[in-house]
């Protein structure tokens, strides 16, 4: 099972060649230092290990909370955000629990990693009507903690979207995409009505229409006898 702490783990079967990163650099961008790349690979490997399919249930849908937990316990979170940052995370936790925000999963982390998880969770819940006043009154260190945590999370999610496809872990890729969308729009759910109303306002403000998905399937040949095989194009 995934252990939620701040120790970087780089299992050999998931270790990637650092040279792979160079292949994705835009033209004109210099190669980062080897030390920088090693640290980046620690984060990528951490995310891969945390989100890999379970052998007993490889088709399990990965909830957003598991992605947030993986982000909160990533090596870069522990390197960049001081463990003794003077933020009032406990106040954010109390406010979210009062609004019945699902927080049981944060107890899977401990110490600084737990605080990072709460800071990120606040950022995607801060637009709730009942939390807006509390968000406006945040002190400087607490607001900065939450902001930096989300910036690092965004960076990690971009890296994960780049590297997870090579493992062909469909559910992990979809989970990362869902989490990226929620963090980018500072929304806590794609299903709750309050969040949907806020999303509609965001789209309208950007001059965008609400996206619609359509699935079409075609059979060849169109008429077949019972028990015969046919090809379906989706």
């Amino acid at each position: 099972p995934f252990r939620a702490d701040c120790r970087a783990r780089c299992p050999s079967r998931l270790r990637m060649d650092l040279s792979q990163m160079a292949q994705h650099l835009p033209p004109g961008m210099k190669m980062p230092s080897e030390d920088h790349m090693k640290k980046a690979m620690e984060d990528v490997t951490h995310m891969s290990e945390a989100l890999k399919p379970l052998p007993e249930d490889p088709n399990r849908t990965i909830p957003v909370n598991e992605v947030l937990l993986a982000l909160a316990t990533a090596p870069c979170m522990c390197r960049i955000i001081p463990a003794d940052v003077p933020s009032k995370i406990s106040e954010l936790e109390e406010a979210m629990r009062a609004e019945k925000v699902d927080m049981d999963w944060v107890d899977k982390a401990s110490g600084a990693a737990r605080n990072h998880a709460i800071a990120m969770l606040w950022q995607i819940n801060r637009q709730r009507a009942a939390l807006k006043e509390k968000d406006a009154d945040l002190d400087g260190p607490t607001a900065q903690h939450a902001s930096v945590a989300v910036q690092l999370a965004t960076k990690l999610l971009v890296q994960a979207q780049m590297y997870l496809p090579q493992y062909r872990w469909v559910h992990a890729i979809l989970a990362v995409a869902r989490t990226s969308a929620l963090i980018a729009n500072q929304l806590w759910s794609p299903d709750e009505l309050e969040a949907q109303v806020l999303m509609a306002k965001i789209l309208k403000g950007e001059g965008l229409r609400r996206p619609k998905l359509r699935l079409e399937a075609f059979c060849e040949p169109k008429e077949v006898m019972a028990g015969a095989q046919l090809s379906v194009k989706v």
Side-chain angles (χ1 to χ4, degrees):
F2 170 52
R3 182 175 180 179
D5 56 23
C6 281
R7 280 175 275 182
R9 295 169 299 129
C10 299
S12 57
R13 77 179 190 83
L14 288 174
R15 202 182 304 263
M16 303 177 198
D17 188 342
L18 294 178
S19 63
Q20 292 180 13
M21 294 187 71
Q23 300 174 8
H24 299 282
L25 291 177
M29 182 177 288
K30 293 183 179 180
M31 189 74 169
S33 67
E34 183 176 348
D35 180 63
H36 177 83
M37 293 180 66
K38 284 183 178 179
K39 289 178 179 178
M41 293 312 304
E42 284 182 357
D43 293 324
V44 171
T45 306
H46 168 88
M47 294 297 294
S48 300
E49 175 68 8
L51 301 178
K52 67 182 180 181
L54 298 176
E56 64 273 19
D57 189 8
N59 293 319
R60 179 182 69 98
T61 298
I62 300 174
V64 169
N65 289 347
E66 287 190 20
V67 182
L68 292 176
L69 182 62
L71 293 169
T73 55
C76 73
M77 286 282 186
C78 304
R79 280 196 310 267
I80 296 176
I81 303 179
D84 57 349
V85 60
S87 57
K88 300 177 181 178
I89 293 297
S90 60
E91 294 184 6
L92 304 186
E93 181 176 1
E94 290 174 7
M96 287 190 286
R97 287 192 184 278
E99 293 305 314
K100 306 223 176 346
V101 174
D102 178 17
M103 299 194 66
D104 292 342
W105 61 273
V106 302
D107 291 330
K108 295 179 181 178
S110 61
R114 188 178 188 278
N115 289 339
H116 303 334
I118 295 172
M120 284 190 295
L121 193 59
W122 177 264
Q123 283 293 84
I124 64 175
N125 281 277
R126 61 199 293 255
Q127 293 196 82
R128 287 178 183 264
L131 298 178
K132 280 188 175 182
E133 183 177 349
K134 176 68 176 177
D135 186 67
D137 294 335
L138 284 186
D139 62 287
T142 304
Q144 186 176 16
H145 185 176
S147 177
V148 172
V150 165
Q151 290 177 37
L152 292 174
T154 300
K155 172 187 171 185
L156 286 171
L157 289 168
V158 170
Q159 292 175 338
Q161 289 182 76
M162 183 184 299
Y163 292 107
L164 285 180
Q166 68 179 296
Y167 297 124
R168 300 177 183 176
W169 295 339
V170 174
H171 288 288
I173 296 169
L174 292 175
V176 166
R178 280 192 295 270
T179 306
S180 297
L182 293 176
I183 287 180
N185 293 289
Q186 296 185 359
L187 295 175
W188 60 95
S189 168
D191 305 313
E192 288 188 26
L193 180 59
E194 184 182 356
Q196 290 179 347
V197 171
L198 285 171
M199 187 71 251
K201 290 181 179 179
I202 292 172
L203 292 173
K204 184 177 180 180
E206 296 291 336
L208 301 173
R209 294 182 179 181
R210 191 178 183 88
K212 294 183 179 180
L213 300 179
R214 183 176 63 181
L215 181 65
E216 295 183 349
F218 303 91
C219 298
E220 295 180 356
K222 293 183 178 181
E223 296 182 4
V224 294
M225 299 294 293
Q229 293 186 349
L230 69 159
S231 103
V232 178
K233 294 181 180 181
V234 179

